[in-house]
C-alpha cells in the first residue's frame, strides 16, 4: 500500500505509515512477519506505540436479520517509545503469532472469499489513528487440507465459506467467531443430507473437526441436523488414510437418526456439544450477544474452481471492496 497520511487525530503534517507484510500465505498458529514503514511529518513526533490488529469480516444473526460487520481477533504492540524526526524514514520489522483458529482464506491457491486484514494503529502524543489496512492471506494446516482433500475425493462439492459470529458450545473455541465451510453432498450421500458444513478449531495440540449434516425429513416431519465432532492430531497427517477416516465419519452421520455429540476434551466434558432443531440456517450454533454496529462490505461474484477433487462452485471475492471501503472511511 502507498503511504497514507493520518489526517484524523494526528492532523495534516503528521507522520505517515505503511505496513508491508512479507509475501506468501501464512498458516494458522504460524508467524506473521513484515515491516511497518514510517515517514516523519513536518515536525518531530514522539511515537508512543505501534499496534497491529487482526480484523475479519463476519456475519451475525440479529433480531432484524443477518448483519455483516468487522470483528477484531488479535492485537499486538510491535514498537514504541521513540522519537520520529521531521521527514525521517524508519522501518520497524515485526514477527507476531497468528491465533490457531485463524480462518483460512485460500485452498490450493484459490481465494475462498474470506476477508481478513491487518490494521496498523499509530499512537502519537496521546492521539491514536488507524493509518493502514492490509489484506491477510492464510493457507490451511496439513490436517485441514487433508480433510478437505478427502471430502473432495469422496465427491463433496465446495459451495461457499463464511465466518459466523458466536461460539460453538462444548468446544475449545477461543475466537469470537468460527469458520463454516459449506459443501454440497457427494452423490452417494445426496439422499441422506442436503448439505455438509465443516468447522475446524485448531489448537497447539491438534484439531477439532466439527461436521454438521442437514438431513432431510420425511412426509410428516421436517428436516433436522446431525452434528459430530472429531479430535485429530497435527502429527502424522501425511501418514493417515484420510479418505477412509473421513468416509467413516460421514457414514456415522448418515446412520444417526438424531443429534449426535462426542465428549469434549480440553476441560469441556461438562458442557457437551448440543444442537437443537432450528428453522434458520445457523441459529443452533450460536451463543453469546450480537455483534453490535455492523460495517457493510461490498461483494462481487466470482466463479472459482477449487482443485483437489472439489467441484467448481460460486464463491465471493470481497477483498478489494472491503479494503477500499475501509480506506475511504479512514480518510474521510
Amino acid at each position: 500500500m502507498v503511504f497514507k497520511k493520518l489526517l484524523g487525530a494526528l492532523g495534516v503534517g503528521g507522520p505517515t505509515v505503511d505496513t508491508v507484510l512479507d509475501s506468501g500465505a501464512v498458516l494458522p498458529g504460524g508467524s506473521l512477519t513484515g515491516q511497518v514503514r514510517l515517514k516523519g511529518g513536518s515536525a518531530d513526533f514522539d511515537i508512543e506505540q505501534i499496534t497491529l490488529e487482526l480484523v475479519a469480516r463476519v456475519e451475525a444473526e440479529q433480531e432484524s436479520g443477518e448483519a455483516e460487520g468487522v470483528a477484531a481477533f488479535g492485537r499486538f504492540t510491535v514498537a514504541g517509545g521513540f522519537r520520529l524526526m521531521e521527514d525521517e524514514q524508519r522501518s520497524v520489522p515485526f514477527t507476531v503469532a497468528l491465533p490457531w483458529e485463524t480462518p483460512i482464506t485460500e485452498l490450493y491457491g484459490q481465494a475462498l472469499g474470506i476477508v481478513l486484514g491487518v490494521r496498523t494503529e499509530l499512537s502519537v502524543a496521546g492521539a491514536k489513528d488507524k493509518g493502514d489496512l492490509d489484506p491477510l492471506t492464510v493457507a490451511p494446516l496439513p490436517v485441514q487440507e487433508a480433510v478437505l482433500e478427502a471430502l473432495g475425493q469422496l465427491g463433496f462439492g465446495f459451495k461457499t465459506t463464511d465466518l459466523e459470529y458466536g461460539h460453538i458450545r462444548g468446544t475449545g473455541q477461543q475466537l469470537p467467531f468460527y469458520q463454516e465451510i459449506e459443501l454440497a453432498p457427494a452423490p452417494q450421500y445426496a439422499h441422506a443430507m442436503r448439505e455438509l458444513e465443516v468447522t475446524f478449531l485448531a489448537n497447539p495440540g491438534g484439531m477439532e473437526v466439527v461436521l454438521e449434516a442437514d438431513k432431510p425429513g420425511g412426509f410428516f416431519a421436517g428436516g433436522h441436523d446431525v452434528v459430530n465432532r472429531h479430535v485429530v492430531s497435527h502429527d502424522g497427517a501425511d501418514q493417515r488414510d484420510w479418505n477412509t477416516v473421513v468416509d467413516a465419519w460421514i457414514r456415522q452421520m448418515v446412520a444417526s437418526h438424531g443429534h449426535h455429540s462426542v465428549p469434549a476434551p480440553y476441560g469441556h466434558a461438562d458442557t457437551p456439544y448440543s444442537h437443537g432443531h432450528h428453522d434458520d440456517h445457523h441459529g443452533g450454533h450460536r451463543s453469546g450477544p450480537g455483534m453490535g454496529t455492523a460495517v457493510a462490505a461490498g461483494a462481487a461474484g466470482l466463479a472459482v474452481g477449487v482443485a483437489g477433487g472439489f467441484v467448481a462452485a460460486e464463491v465471493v471475492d470481497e477483498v478489494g471492496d472491503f479494503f477500499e471501503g475501509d480506506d475511504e472511511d479512514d480518510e474521510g
Side-chain angles (χ1 to χ4, degrees):
M1 284 187 153
V2 298
F3 278 98
K4 296 178 56 182
K5 290 183 178 180
L6 304 181
L7 298 178
L10 305 186
V12 178
T16 58
V17 61
D18 178 32
T19 298
V20 179
L21 305 180
D22 288 346
S23 60
V26 293
L27 298 179
S31 296
L32 175 66
T33 59
Q35 298 181 8
V36 178
R37 299 174 181 173
L38 300 171
K39 183 176 180 180
S42 57
D44 298 349
F45 284 87
D46 290 323
I47 307 300
E48 297 175 349
Q49 202 170 69
I50 302 174
T51 304
L52 301 181
E53 186 177 53
L54 305 177
V55 295
R57 178 189 176 277
V58 302
E59 297 180 357
E61 290 195 6
Q62 301 176 338
E63 293 182 1
S64 58
E66 194 169 79
E68 298 174 347
V70 176
F73 65 100
R75 190 172 176 85
F76 312 91
T77 298
V78 297
F82 63 90
R83 170 159 289 207
L84 186 67
M85 308 303 290
E86 179 181 352
D87 293 327
E88 176 188 356
Q89 297 193 33
R90 181 182 296 210
S91 180
V92 179
F94 63 84
T95 299
V96 299
L98 291 183
W100 280 93
E101 292 178 15
T102 299
I104 61 174
T105 66
E106 69 172 30
L107 183 62
Y108 307 111
Q110 297 285 345
L112 300 178
I114 294 297
V115 181
L116 303 181
V118 180
R119 185 191 294 278
T120 306
E121 182 181 275
L122 202 61
S123 299
V124 180
K128 295 182 179 181
D129 211 329
K130 300 174 180 178
D132 202 15
L133 182 64
D134 297 87
L136 175 62
T137 303
V138 182
L141 292 164
V143 172
Q144 293 172 318
E145 184 171 316
V147 171
L148 293 174
E149 166 76 12
L151 287 165
Q153 294 293 339
L154 292 171
F156 286 83
F158 177 82
K159 294 176 63 178
T160 187
T161 180
D162 57 18
L163 305 182
E164 295 287 335
Y165 188 82
H167 190 273
I168 301 178
R169 296 186 297 272
T171 69
Q173 181 184 338
Q174 299 295 313
L175 296 187
F177 55 84
Y178 54 93
Q179 183 174 18
E180 280 189 339
I181 301 173
E182 300 178 9
L183 307 176
Q188 65 269 32
Y189 296 122
H191 68 285
M193 64 181 69
R194 300 187 185 98
E195 183 179 76
L196 180 69
E197 295 177 350
V198 184
T199 294
F200 296 110
L201 299 174
N203 58 68
M207 180 94 59
E208 295 179 72
V209 183
V210 181
L211 302 176
E212 177 183 346
D214 181 9
K215 302 187 73 172
F219 288 107
F220 302 103
H224 62 279
D225 294 340
V226 174
V227 178
N228 285 15
R229 187 173 59 81
H230 306 272
V231 179
V232 297
S233 173
H234 295 298
D235 299 331
D238 58 345
Q239 300 173 359
R240 301 186 66 179
D241 182 356
W242 286 104
N243 281 21
T244 300
V245 171
V246 174
D247 190 48
W249 293 350
I250 303 301
R251 291 179 182 274
Q252 182 184 40
M253 299 189 76
V254 171
S256 299
H257 298 289
H259 310 300
H260 183 80
S261 63
V262 180
Y266 316 120
H268 289 276
D270 57 335
T271 55
Y273 185 101
S274 62
H275 198 85
H277 296 268
H278 57 86
D279 295 327
D280 58 311
H281 184 57
H282 300 288
H285 277 223
R286 189 160 291 105
S287 62
M291 186 177 58
T293 304
V295 181
L302 177 66
V304 175
V306 180
F310 279 95
V311 180
E314 291 291 325
V315 298
V316 179
D317 180 18
E318 297 169 319
V319 178
D321 291 339
F322 175 80
F323 287 107
E324 288 173 7
D326 191 277
D327 290 349
E328 290 173 0
D329 291 341
D330 288 346
E331 293 173 354

